[in-house]
């Protein structure tokens, strides 16, 4: 019948799971109100289902009442208050979801505190996009614990592996991560503040646009609408 699809008609340029999950993390980061660094996380279970997402934010009901400062007296900085994206992805997990065995897709390498949480919650893998704080004791401690924790692996997200193009560039770490075909967007599509928080350069590409350009530079329809609106 007409309804039957021959194998010739099977769509081949679909978004592969790993790119989709990282794109959701990238999109989640856009919800962050942190003016400097926006982080997103996407928690995926062993059935390849998303069980939770998160972004860095102040605790419930504290948003707007706490500082986003990076410097100053400890009590006046964001660091002692902010809930990291990874923590939120875990606590946001659906009530009936088992986080044990899950994979954490996160746009920035987890800190030592989140790593403890990740290990104790029984996650099995961390896939990260950016490692801009790799020189800090926090990140070093994270890697030390992840290595010790054995079954828990961490790997840098690599969309080349899955044959897709993702246009996320990190200016602070040359050649860190970019697609084979690095889509150069018109300047109006660029922003001064990217998902990983580098606000110094406008060579950064809007993460949402990055998500839109996951494959062959063709944004999926929903995101294309957004870009067209910007064009007007
Ligand atoms: N893995 C992470 N997940 C996160 O959600 N964060 C958050 C905490 C802060 O809101 C922000 C980092 O601020 P800054 O030092 O880059 O201005 O990102 C930070 C890290 C880094 O370990």
């Amino acid at each position: 019948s007409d309804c039957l699809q021959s194998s010739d008609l099977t769509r081949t340029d679909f978004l592969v799971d790993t790119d989709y999950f990282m794109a959701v993390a990238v999109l989640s980061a856009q919800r962050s109100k942190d003016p400097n660094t926006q982080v997103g996380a996407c928690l995926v279970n062993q059935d390849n289902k998303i069980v939770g997402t998160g972004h860095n934010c102040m605790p419930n009901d504290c948003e707007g009442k706490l500082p986003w400062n990076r410097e100053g007296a400890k009590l006046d900085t964001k660091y002692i208050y902010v809930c990291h994206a990874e923590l939120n992805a875990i606590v946001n997990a659906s009530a009936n979801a088992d986080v044990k065995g899950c994979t954490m897709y996160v746009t920035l390498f987890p800190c030592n505190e989140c790593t403890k949480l990740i290990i104790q919650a029984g996650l099995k893998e961390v896939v990260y996009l950016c490692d801009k704080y790799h020189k800090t004791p926090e990140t070093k401690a994270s890697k030390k614990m992840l290595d010790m924790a054995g079954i828990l692996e961490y790997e840098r997200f690599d969309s080349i592996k899955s044959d897709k193009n993702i246009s996320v560039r990190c200016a602070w770490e040359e050649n860190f991560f970019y697609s084979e075909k690095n889509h150069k967007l018109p300047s109006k599509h660029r922003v001064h503040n990217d998902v990983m928080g580098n606000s110094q350069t406008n060579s950064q590409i809007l993460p949402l646009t990055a998500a839109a350009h996951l494959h062959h530079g063709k944004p999926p329809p929903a995101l294309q609408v957004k870009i067209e609106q910007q064009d007007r």
Side-chain angles (χ1 to χ4, degrees):
S1 91
D2 287 349
C3 293
L4 281 179
Q5 269 199 350
S6 91
S7 58
D8 291 347
L9 295 174
T10 302
R11 193 168 164 249
T12 54
D13 64 343
F14 56 87
L15 192 59
V16 298
D17 294 349
T18 49
D19 285 2
Y20 171 65
F21 297 139
M22 188 55 86
V24 169
V26 166
L27 192 58
S28 301
Q30 290 304 293
R31 301 178 71 193
S32 173
K33 291 176 181 155
D34 188 325
N36 192 65
T37 299
Q38 301 84 40
V39 186
C42 177
L43 195 57
V44 178
N45 73 10
Q46 283 161 316
D47 298 328
N48 258 358
K49 287 181 177 141
I50 295 176
V51 299
T53 59
H55 62 279
N56 53 329
C57 65
M58 290 303 175
N60 291 342
D61 301 322
C62 301
E63 198 88 62
K65 301 171 199 159
L66 291 168
W68 283 113
N69 301 331
R70 306 183 75 215
E71 275 151 33
K74 205 167 178 180
L75 275 174
D76 298 331
T77 72
K78 63 184 172 182
Y79 297 108
I80 46 170
Y81 306 110
V82 71
C83 302
H84 286 198
E86 301 90 319
L87 177 150
N88 286 323
I90 290 172
V91 302
N92 288 345
S94 339
N96 58 352
D98 191 0
V99 298
K100 226 178 148 119
C102 278
T103 297
M104 175 78 78
Y105 288 81
V106 61
T107 60
L108 183 57
F109 203 95
C111 73
N112 58 316
E113 291 301 330
C114 287
T115 296
K116 294 179 207 174
L117 184 64
I118 286 167
I119 293 171
Q120 296 305 73
L123 270 59
K124 75 160 207 304
E125 198 185 3
V126 173
V127 182
Y128 64 97
L129 196 57
C130 175
D131 198 10
K132 70 169 171 168
Y133 292 131
H134 64 100
K135 287 187 182 133
T136 64
E138 286 81 3
T139 304
K140 285 179 183 162
S142 291
K143 288 175 184 172
K144 199 166 160 175
M145 289 187 280
L146 290 170
D147 288 340
M148 285 174 185
I151 47 152
L152 209 130
E153 292 173 36
Y154 57 95
E155 63 171 323
R156 182 172 272 181
F157 179 71
D158 179 6
S159 85
I160 312 276
K161 197 171 65 186
S162 58
D163 247 7
K164 294 286 187 280
N165 300 313
I166 180 168
S167 314
V168 176
R169 284 185 60 190
C170 298
W172 58 86
E173 205 180 328
E174 239 184 48
N175 295 335
F176 157 56
F177 184 79
Y178 51 88
S179 66
E180 273 174 314
K181 286 180 209 145
N182 184 24
H183 306 286
K184 282 253 185 275
L185 297 167
S187 57
K188 63 183 155 191
H189 289 154
R190 294 184 198 157
V191 287
H192 293 271
N193 203 356
D194 85 327
V195 67
M196 273 68 80
N198 192 320
S199 50
Q200 255 65 60
T201 171
N202 68 354
S203 72
Q204 298 290 333
I205 296 169
L206 179 68
L208 184 64
T209 317
H213 284 74
L214 276 165
H215 191 63
H216 298 318
K218 274 186 285 176
L223 297 175
Q224 201 161 23
V225 169
K226 178 129 188 136
I227 290 167
E228 281 165 4
Q229 280 167 355
Q230 287 177 354
D231 277 336
R232 261 176 228 136

